[in-house]
Amino acid sequence: MPRQLSGGQKQRVGIARALALNPEILLCDEATSALDPRTTDSILELIKKINRELNVTVLMITHQMNVIQQVCNKVAVLEKGQLVETGSVIDVFGNPQTETTKGFIRTVINDRLPESVKKYIQEYKEPQKVVRLRFDGKNADDPIMSLAIKETGVNISILFGTVTELEGKVVGFQTVQITGDRPQLEAADRFFEEHNVPKIEVNF
């Protein structure tokens, strides 16, 4: 009987009914919003399998950022019916441009510094920059920090770090304090650009 099906079973039946029509696009509107974590993971694995093996484009509509994190490679953010941000998941999660997007992303990637660390940075009297660096498959294996210190003469202190998976890749984010004289700070900017390490300045 349909009423005896669990939430996950109902979702699987709904997906099967949609696929019976051989669609080019599968629309999933809040497909996991009422499911427990284990069932959510199984449904997301099924959706990834459909996309991979059947070559069906999947359009996910969700407020759950962990869903975007696990299965999507592109994301668009809507606010009051308006498109406010779009791009690859790595780029949008790594450098959100709007407060709406930042609020969503903090539910899966916390980038808030403790108040004691903020106070230390604000009271620091010497030249400094506080930046958020992103490390992915292009640069994850390189000893970037030690190279930057050696080549530019700056000091680098790690204030906050996190590792997550986006678009099937392990991606790391580190918020660091870079100190030195002005020429050294400028050299550090060039260093990260030349080594393809995306960075954004952190302001308080």
Side-chain angles (χ1 to χ4, degrees):
M1 297 289 289
R3 66 173 177 269
Q4 295 176 314
L5 297 177
S6 68
Q9 289 170 330
K10 290 177 182 178
Q11 289 290 43
R12 289 175 182 275
V13 170
I15 291 171
R17 289 176 60 190
L19 292 177
L21 300 174
N22 295 315
E24 294 184 5
I25 299 176
L26 178 64
L27 176 62
C28 297
D29 188 357
E30 299 289 0
T32 61
S33 61
L35 303 178
D36 63 81
R38 179 179 294 181
T39 306
T40 293
D41 288 342
S42 69
I43 293 297
L44 294 180
E45 283 300 320
L46 175 60
I47 290 171
K48 287 194 289 186
K49 185 176 181 180
I50 290 168
N51 172 251
R52 182 177 62 250
E53 297 184 5
L54 301 182
N55 199 30
V56 174
T57 298
V58 181
L59 177 61
M60 305 288 295
I61 300 173
T62 184
H63 289 83
Q64 298 174 300
M65 291 299 99
N66 64 307
V67 170
I68 305 298
Q69 182 184 24
Q70 290 184 53
V71 302
C72 297
N73 52 37
K74 294 182 180 179
V75 62
V77 181
L78 297 175
E79 182 178 16
K80 297 179 181 178
Q82 300 295 317
L83 181 65
V84 296
E85 197 160 351
T86 184
S88 72
V89 170
I90 286 181
D91 287 340
V92 173
F93 276 50
N95 187 17
Q97 299 298 306
T98 68
E99 288 304 316
T100 297
T101 308
K102 291 176 183 178
F104 276 130
I105 291 171
R106 284 193 184 107
T107 64
V108 291
I109 302 176
N110 180 20
D111 65 349
R112 292 185 182 276
L113 294 176
E115 290 301 319
S116 59
V117 175
K118 290 182 182 179
K119 183 179 179 181
Y120 162 75
I121 292 169
Q122 291 166 343
E123 294 177 351
Y124 194 81
K125 302 302 182 183
E126 301 300 322
Q128 67 169 329
K129 281 193 175 184
V130 179
V131 298
R132 186 168 178 242
L133 306 172
R134 187 181 85 208
F135 299 90
D136 53 33
K138 300 173 185 176
N139 51 39
D141 295 330
D142 297 330
I144 295 295
M145 297 299 191
S146 58
L147 283 174
I149 293 168
K150 181 178 180 181
E151 293 188 15
T152 68
V154 295
N155 292 312
I156 299 178
S157 300
I158 298 175
L159 305 174
F160 185 86
T162 186
V163 176
T164 188
E165 188 174 13
L166 301 171
E167 298 183 41
K169 304 174 185 175
V170 175
V171 182
F173 298 96
Q174 287 189 340
T175 301
V176 301
Q177 180 195 40
I178 305 174
T179 58
D181 59 33
R182 293 298 176 187
Q184 288 173 325
L185 295 179
E186 292 171 2
D189 280 341
R190 292 192 298 271
F191 174 90
F192 289 121
E193 183 176 346
E194 291 167 359
H195 286 77
N196 299 312
V197 180
K199 70 176 179 62
I200 56 174
E201 288 204 37
V202 178
N203 299 311
F204 302 98

